Amino acid sequence: MHMCINETRHQQEAAGVNHLVGLHLDIAFHDLLDAAIGDGDATLKFTVFRDDAGIAEIQVDPGHWFALLDAAPVFQGDSYSHSIDYCIPIAHMLYTRYRNFGMQESRMNVLFENAKVLTLDPADSVFDSVSVLVEGGRIAAIGSELRGRAGNDCRIIDASGHLVMPGLVNAHFHSPGNLMRGSLKSSPLEIFMLMEVPPFRAAPLSARINYVCTMIGAIEMLRTGVTAVQDDAFFAPVPTPGGIDGVMQAYADIGIRARVSLDQPNVIEHEKYPYLREILPADIRRRMEAAPLQSDEELEALYRWFIGKWNNAADGRLSVAVSCSAPQRVTPNYLKVLHGLSQEHDLPYYIHTLETKLQRVLGAEKYGKSLIQYLGDSEVLDHRTNLMHCIWVDDADMDLIAEKGSVVAHNPLCNLRLGSGIMPFRQFRNRGVPICLGSDEAISDDAINMWNVAKTAGLVHNITDPEYQNWPDAAEILSCLVGGGARAMLAEGRTGQIAPGLAADLIMLRLDGSAFAPLNDLKRQLIYAENGSSVVMTMVNGRIVFEDGRVTTVDEAALHAEANEIIAENRAVWAAEFESSYELQPYYREMYLRASRQDVGMNRWVGGETYSASTAVGSKKLGDYNRGQPQIQGDSNVA
């Protein structure tokens, strides 16, 4: 039998449908349908009801194949009430038993021959010319003369003149920022976030916008050799099942490995910052206090739904993490609820902390201690915890992080773009703290290129210490880029190396390009010379998802075109949201300057802490600092 969504594109958009994908599964349901509709050759339309009362129009053609879209939140199309008795049991069975059937991976066995192989295994093995056999999504063998082990259905790839290595891991990312690439000038985090996540956004984005937005970033990552990403996805004003499904379905369709969390604050905006409540006019405080917030119970219920539906989906390629965004952005109870979910389901716990000097000041003002110490006292630090940024930390903070076995996510390009400061890399490494690397959101980098992130991590710390023997070397940066990312994802021993039994998350790079000509030191040239242009193939879970200059799983051109359409269609609405953020900028700036003048007993800025407000923005009015943004492909300004 055959099932297909019978809707136009406009109907799909009205429904918030994520994506129509040709997904097929051979299921012996003939008897079931015959019993339900009587005539095995008949075709009829009926309404499928999902648990969330979403409606989608389906055409059933018995006797062929199945293709069912598990995503339609609400489409008020024609209702065939005479078929409801038949639809409900069939739809329920399909939804509960085959909710992820569209994610069954299509793989082939592959034998790479004559490759230079960088394994990044514990022995740090490097082979000049060897074969790597991939079977069933896993690395089956490394060695010579493996063709005899390969079956007749195995694809043979001559990798002469190429490097095969584990794929890169983008260990900290926010996909919802993808559509704002190039939109904002550099500014401190607290000003930047006003534009990125407008406090007064009225309605959540549609599932389709979330889908396309996520796709844009995933395409770029696969093209440059990223095989896994940790996406701390935020949703303004609140997350919805449809919006979450949009993000997850994008990762399902494109084929990347992804851990995704819901980065959702649940306290009033002015409670997240020092001094802000007293600075704001009363009318703005009241607007902030009236903004929608979800309770601890609502967010926990949403997370349990999210975990139940998406954790370990797509043969384990898709999984869930938990996120509080930052400790000051959620209630103390919800901070602990998330830790409980992390323990219960063995999930990473994402926490932004001490990213800026202002956050150091906040800890002292609100909690009487640093935010790291607050997390320790709240008993939410352990080996699953991913601590993002960790710039304005002191020795006691770093000692506690090391004691708890938590991971630090280093985002050097974002830290530079937003002027947050330079993380004490060597001090963490000397304590044995695992470090992974992230691009952070596209809007804070304007690229999603982990080679650039790695190069910056390898260079920026050189200006923090005249003792050059403390500077990072290429080998440890590469370890952070791949192995550190696997550790952060709780995927050590499953990916991040080329070794038998591990997932085949591999990339292949040409060695005849400018980055490696001549080839003197492989690791140094990977970190300091490569920019992603040498990547010719990306494989995730044994499936080739990028080859011959194109992503193999989606229509890149169509998605890029649709992204531009989304911007054009929503420009007026988003301009109004940005206008409310412009209104707030002078108050946030006053808060920022006040915090910047506090003595916190350390400095993470290059050039000292002296701050001259008179020269900060020249002759511009404070409220105009980011006006004129964003711009899309040369179009006129939003505001």
Side-chain angles (χ1 to χ4, degrees), residues 608-627:
E609 294 187 58
T610 303
Y611 195 92
S612 173
S614 63
T615 60
V617 292
S619 61
K620 289 186 178 181
K621 295 178 182 179
L622 298 185
D624 289 340
Y625 182 60
N626 267 321
R627 280 190 187 273

Side-chain angles (χ1 to χ4, degrees), residues 49-90:
F49 287 80
R50 287 185 52 195
D51 292 345
D52 59 1
I55 300 173
E57 186 181 356
I58 306 294
Q59 178 174 306
V60 180
D61 181 9
H64 296 88
W65 295 79
F66 258 94
L68 176 66
L69 176 64
D70 174 31
V74 179
F75 168 48
Q76 301 296 343
D78 294 335
S79 177
Y80 296 84
S81 59
H82 61 276
S83 300
I84 286 177
D85 290 342
Y86 308 132
C87 306
I88 289 177
I90 298 172

Side-chain angles (χ1 to χ4, degrees), residues 160-227:
S160 301
H162 290 78
L163 171 70
V164 175
M165 64 174 285
L168 312 187
V169 179
N170 188 349
H172 182 54
F173 182 59
H174 301 282
S175 63
N178 292 345
L179 291 182
M180 294 185 71
R181 182 196 306 269
S183 296
L184 300 181
K185 298 177 181 180
S186 297
S187 61
L189 173 73
E190 293 77 21
I191 310 297
F192 204 83
M193 287 183 65
L194 279 176
M195 309 304 298
E196 179 189 37
V197 192
F200 300 129
R201 173 162 284 169
L205 301 179
S206 71
R208 184 64 191 180
I209 290 178
N210 278 293
Y211 179 90
V212 173
C213 184
T214 305
M215 273 289 188
I216 296 303
I219 287 170
E220 183 173 357
M221 286 187 277
L222 290 181
R223 282 184 153 274
T224 53
V226 172
T227 55

Side-chain angles (χ1 to χ4, degrees), residues 117 119 121 127 130-133 139-144 146 149 498-500:
V117 174
T119 65
D121 65 7
F127 302 97
V130 76
S131 297
V132 178
L133 178 62
I139 299 161
I142 306 166
S144 57
L146 294 181
R149 287 192 52 178
I498 298 182

